[in-house]
Amino acid sequence: VVGDDFGEQNIKLLKKHNINIEGLEIIEDEKTFFWSGKYHENMNFRDTLVTDLNVLENFNPKIPTSYEDCNYLMLANLMPSIQLQVIRNLPVKPKLIVTDTMNYWIENCLEDLMLVIKSTNILIINDEEASQISKINNVVEAAKKILKMGPDFIIVKKGADGAILFSKDMQFNCPSILVEKCYDPTGAGDTFAGAFIGHLNCSNDISFNNMKLGVIKACAMASFCVEDFGVNNLLNRNKGEIQERIESLKNKI
């Protein structure tokens, strides 16, 4: 859902890249969700300055009929009550539910978020959020505790240090791509999540080994995102450039 400030040029951009927008809702005379933050010298750390829910505050998601039998459900970084609503309103349980969240929801909507986590197969969070949820600073111990809350798998994003995929008895550490200049990490987490679920959907394989490849691809795509503002550096990447980064990560493992 977006407000009428989203702009027709953005909708055209989505269509140009063959993104299905059947479920997109545009609320007239309302504003799109807005977040701003301040990054530290170490861009793994940030302070949230503004979070305006805007259209999300009273959002009642309408699930298109064509989405009702989806195999893979990606619950993007939204209000947990909305994520719960989507889970409960789907007539057919998806093969896999992947959930993304952030510190704002942990701080303000923890009760609903815990219900979402309980219904989730894969939880994607960063290391700070893992510590917030578990009350444990050690990433590995935090992941073990969160796995007991419901998920089968957890992916902990570590910014410039890559990401870790956990199951109850396995762990995979994915390194990061060293970029020449990190201009803006905003959106890198969304890029990561989108690339990961996109890989699972295309391969239709939810084995741990295939998830490892999904994390590698997600880290590669996120590395493109941080090199410019918004989606600027993602728009015109070709398959060769993407594959080169994927192979460079594989060679580090």
Side-chain angles (χ1 to χ4, degrees):
V1 63
V2 295
D4 60 12
D5 58 344
F6 189 65
E8 182 62 30
Q9 74 277 11
N10 293 315
I11 295 173
K12 287 181 179 177
L13 182 64
L14 295 175
K15 290 179 178 178
K16 179 182 176 183
H17 289 268
N18 299 315
I19 295 172
N20 187 325
I21 60 168
E22 184 182 353
L24 178 65
E25 291 185 47
I26 303 171
I27 310 298
E28 293 186 6
D29 302 319
E30 295 285 346
K31 292 183 177 180
T32 304
F33 172 84
F34 177 82
W35 176 90
S36 70
K38 178 181 179 181
Y39 290 92
H40 296 253
E41 185 174 348
N42 179 345
M43 288 196 180
N44 282 352
F45 301 99
R46 69 185 184 193
D47 297 320
T48 294
L49 301 178
V50 178
T51 303
D52 292 331
L53 296 181
N54 295 330
V55 291
L56 287 185
E57 192 163 4
N58 299 302
F59 180 45
N60 180 24
K62 301 177 184 66
I63 302 173
T65 304
S66 62
Y67 292 8
E68 289 182 350
D69 61 348
C70 64
N71 283 324
Y72 298 92
L73 174 63
M74 176 72 224
L75 295 172
N77 190 350
L78 292 173
M79 192 183 301
S81 59
I82 295 173
Q83 295 174 323
L84 269 177
Q85 207 173 332
V86 171
I87 293 171
R88 291 167 177 171
N89 288 349
L90 281 173
V92 180
K93 184 179 179 180
K95 180 179 178 179
L96 193 80
I97 298 176
V98 181
T99 298
D100 192 10
T101 193
M102 69 176 185
N103 58 339
Y104 182 86
W105 311 125
I106 297 169
E107 292 165 7
N108 296 284
C109 313
L110 185 59
E111 186 175 341
D112 281 343
L113 179 59
M114 294 308 293
L115 292 175
V116 175
I117 290 173
K118 190 176 180 180
S119 302
T120 291
N121 299 109
I122 305 176
L123 178 65
I124 301 177
I125 50 177
N126 66 30
D127 43 6
E128 283 186 283
E129 293 154 357
S131 177
Q132 273 185 288
I133 293 172
S134 66
K135 309 299 183 186
I136 298 173
N137 289 327
N138 180 279
V139 170
V140 174
E141 294 304 315
K144 287 180 181 178
K145 183 173 180 179
I146 297 169
L147 281 167
K148 293 177 181 177
M149 299 174 185
D152 301 304
F153 306 92
I154 297 173
I155 299 173
V156 180
K157 299 170 293 183
K158 294 169 59 63
D161 298 316
I164 309 175
L165 169 66
F166 295 94
S167 73
K168 289 179 174 62
D169 53 5
M170 290 182 283
Q171 177 180 327
F172 169 65
N173 292 55
C174 183
S176 63
I177 296 282
L178 293 177
V179 298
E180 288 187 13
K181 177 67 176 178
C182 179
Y183 282 92
D184 183 14
T186 309
D190 298 312
T191 304
F192 182 103
F196 178 77
I197 191 68
H199 167 75
L200 294 189
N201 182 60
C202 290
S203 59
N204 197 26
D205 177 355
I206 56 173
S207 66
F208 190 82
N209 276 340
N210 193 51
M211 286 186 193
K212 286 162 57 175
L213 180 55
V215 171
I216 290 170
K217 289 184 175 181
C219 283
M221 292 307 298
S223 74
F224 285 114
C225 179
V226 304
E227 291 179 306
D228 206 337
F229 295 100
V231 297
N232 291 342
N233 201 44
L234 295 169
L235 293 177
N236 300 304
R237 300 278 68 83
N238 60 53
K239 289 183 179 179
E241 291 172 308
I242 295 170
Q243 193 59 38
E244 184 179 346
R245 292 206 175 178
I246 292 170
E247 293 303 322
S248 71
L249 282 175
K250 287 181 178 179
N251 292 334
K252 291 181 179 180
I253 295 167

